[in-house]
Amino acid sequence: MKPALTRRPLRVPQHWHELPMGEWLAAEVQERLNAWCPMIFGYHLLKLGALSSELSCQCSSIRQQSALAPAGAQLALLGDLEQLPIRDGAIDACLLAHALDYAADPHQVLREVDRVLTADGWVLISGFNPHSLLGLGALLPGLRQRHPWHARLFAPERIRDWLELLGFELMYCEQFGFSSFTNHSRIHWWRENIGRQYFGYFASVYVLAARKRTIPLTPEHRERWVRKPVILPGLAGGGG
């Protein structure tokens, strides 16, 4: 298993059209956002990364929505995803559209998401699956330096494990896109239907939703912690 932290320079796409089949991919991710956003409530939604900023979360009742990335269009804030300039517990939902795929330290990005989310906040994540035709392309030298094979490609089960360690509960995960995503690739409806039904593990893209769970610590009754005396009054008789 490759380490999560990397020192190699990453070229982060600023627009969906920089990815092969990017418009189709954005539409598919958007379709799943439209299904899940109505279930998310609160006051503040934060889109992390340039690709996230180009997606709509208007189906959510959250009206205060902003985007943050080191660079890109349609941003409200410029900043590093590994050091969010936001106070603790201020955000109700975070969207990371392929942000972890292009993060040098995805662990730190998720720790920051955990820090800024409210107690029952949501995180929505999309990413590329290494166990797929797209993942096979990343092994080819001719494709390795191009999008999207240049990305980190973390498996959805690995993202789930990271989230569970932070106290998140996975609420939804769907995989789709049975394509190599080369310029000559096509998405065939019959292949998608069969693939999603029987071979979802090998799909090239996943979208998941997880909710932060904060378990309150209920203190024990004080009486249980009071040490009882070894000798009770009246039991110690005098000598005679």
Side-chain angles (χ1 to χ4, degrees):
M1 181 180 294
K2 64 182 177 183
L5 180 65
T6 184
R7 299 299 181 189
R8 71 178 173 93
L10 295 167
R11 294 179 293 103
V12 183
Q14 302 300 309
H15 305 282
W16 288 96
H17 63 73
E18 295 179 29
L19 302 173
M21 301 170 57
E23 293 183 1
W24 177 88
L25 178 58
E28 289 293 312
V29 175
Q30 184 66 65
E31 180 180 334
R32 285 147 184 86
L33 288 180
N34 293 344
W36 268 92
C37 281
M39 306 179 194
I40 299 174
F41 302 93
Y43 299 98
H44 300 284
L45 185 148
L46 182 63
K47 304 175 184 178
L48 296 176
L51 296 181
S52 299
S53 70
E54 295 186 338
L55 296 174
S56 172
C57 294
Q58 294 306 313
C59 291
S60 170
S61 63
I62 300 177
R63 289 294 167 253
Q64 296 295 326
Q65 302 185 13
S66 55
L68 180 150
Q74 305 179 39
L75 299 177
L77 298 168
L78 293 176
D80 189 345
L81 272 60
E82 297 177 10
Q83 294 180 329
L84 298 177
I86 298 169
R87 63 180 175 84
D88 296 1
I91 303 298
D92 297 285
C94 285
L95 170 62
L96 293 87
H98 298 278
L100 298 181
D101 289 326
Y102 293 95
D105 190 353
H107 281 174
Q108 179 59 25
V109 173
L110 289 179
R111 282 192 289 266
E112 281 293 277
V113 168
D114 176 56
R115 179 183 66 80
V116 303
L117 279 179
T118 57
D120 290 310
W122 288 83
V123 60
L124 304 170
I125 299 173
S126 69
F128 296 119
N129 180 19
H131 310 306
S132 64
L133 290 173
L134 186 148
L136 290 176
L139 302 177
L140 302 177
L143 295 177
R144 198 174 299 163
Q145 299 305 316
R146 295 164 51 189
H147 292 312
W149 305 276
H150 175 68
R152 306 291 311 280
L153 305 186
F154 296 109
E157 57 267 22
R158 194 173 182 189
I159 302 297
R160 180 198 62 203
D161 290 344
W162 292 347
L163 290 170
E164 289 179 351
L165 287 174
L166 291 171
F168 285 81
E169 179 183 1
L170 185 67
M171 308 299 290
Y172 159 82
C173 183
E174 182 180 352
Q175 296 180 223
F176 60 92
F178 293 85
S179 168
S180 62
F181 279 79
T182 57
N183 291 330
H184 301 291
S185 295
R186 295 291 184 271
I187 294 294
H188 300 286
W189 66 267
W190 58 267
R191 187 168 61 189
E192 280 293 298
N193 291 340
I194 295 174
R196 294 180 193 184
Q197 187 172 1
Y198 298 106
F199 306 104
Y201 180 81
F202 300 104
S204 293
V205 186
Y206 61 87
V207 174
L208 62 83
R211 195 169 191 183
K212 183 176 177 180
R213 297 301 192 189
T214 303
I215 302 175
L217 297 177
T218 304
E220 296 277 359
H221 291 295
R222 187 175 182 274
E223 292 79 1
R224 294 188 59 184
W225 294 97
V226 175
R227 187 172 184 178
K228 296 180 180 180
V230 176
I231 301 177
L232 298 179
L235 294 184

